Amino acid sequence: NSWHLDTAYVQKSWNLGQGWFSRLALGYFEQAYGGIGLEALYYPVQSNWAVGMQGAALFKRSYYGLGLQSRVRKLTHKGPLYIPYTGLQFFVDLYYQYKPLQLDFKISAGQFLARDQGIRVEGGRVFASGLRVGLWGTFTNANDRVNGHRYYDKGLSITMPLDLCLHKSSRTRVGYAMSAWLRDCGAIGACGKQLYPTIFWERYNSKPVFY
């Protein structure tokens, strides 16, 4: 019997010209975290590749109210223990699109939300309807164990344009992602609206259609 504020952030993006873009975001990015995010991207017009850098400082949101906290609960054999924590994540991102088959790939290398370091590899295909199906796998130096084996984060994502369900055109996309297990390794906190997918779908939707 209470009100909840899932997301509430402000973001400013800049088109710096010659294929350069940047953004700054600040606020509550998701139910669990809020903070500040920065990103820079080089994505030339009519190019099938891009390279970018991003970073974020994230704080755990309080369970009640609108505050942020600089500690998290860690479960130990002696019971819950509260430890200092600030989420610092940063990545170098490489993007590539194989246009003949409408395949796209992304490799991110850097530090993840739980301060484990490694890489995340993503791949997907965009169909003529605008539906995109993707897979990802993450390999870091974390040592999470599942069923006695070291776990590497992996999962499936699906996004689709909302106008598939409407009688008018809409550039809004809806999606869902599912990981095999919810573990700390390879976790990435939300930090605003990402530049590459924003620009990618704007260019995709602006392509001429011939009948």
Side-chain angles (χ1 to χ4, degrees), residues 27-178:
Y28 302 115
F29 297 125
E30 54 180 297
Q31 287 183 328
Y33 290 96
I36 183 171
L38 302 164
E39 185 180 6
L41 177 73
Y42 179 62
Y43 190 7
V45 176
Q46 297 182 345
S47 174
N48 66 339
W49 62 273
V51 59
M53 297 179 63
Q54 60 173 306
L58 302 173
F59 298 91
K60 186 75 173 176
R61 292 179 61 178
S62 300
Y63 293 102
Y64 300 97
L66 300 177
L68 300 173
Q69 53 186 342
S70 57
R71 63 175 188 166
V72 295
R73 186 177 64 175
K74 180 179 181 180
L75 298 179
T76 69
H77 65 281
K78 295 182 179 180
L81 176 67
Y82 289 87
I83 60 175
Y85 173 78
T86 300
L88 297 174
Q89 62 182 35
F90 47 84
F91 304 98
V92 174
D93 303 312
L94 300 175
Y95 305 88
Y96 178 76
Q97 182 189 17
Y98 185 64
K99 294 184 178 181
L101 296 179
Q102 289 298 303
L103 297 173
D104 58 87
F105 304 92
K106 177 184 177 182
I107 298 177
S108 299
Q111 178 170 284
F112 294 83
L113 184 61
R115 298 192 177 181
D116 49 329
Q117 290 87 36
I119 64 171
R120 175 183 170 112
V121 180
E122 303 178 46
R125 187 177 190 275
V126 180
F127 295 89
S129 62
L131 174 71
R132 181 188 181 277
V133 178
L135 300 170
W136 82 81
T138 306
F139 307 91
T140 77
N141 60 358
N143 194 28
D144 287 23
R145 313 291 293 184
V146 174
N147 296 328
H149 299 280
R150 186 171 180 177
Y151 176 71
Y152 297 98
D153 185 55
K154 51 188 175 292
L156 167 72
S157 65
I158 299 175
T159 67
M160 58 177 283
L162 191 58
D163 57 7
L164 288 179
C165 308
L166 301 176
H167 296 292
K168 59 181 181 180
S169 179
S170 170
R171 295 195 175 190
T172 302
R173 298 185 64 84
V174 295
Y176 181 77
M178 181 179 67

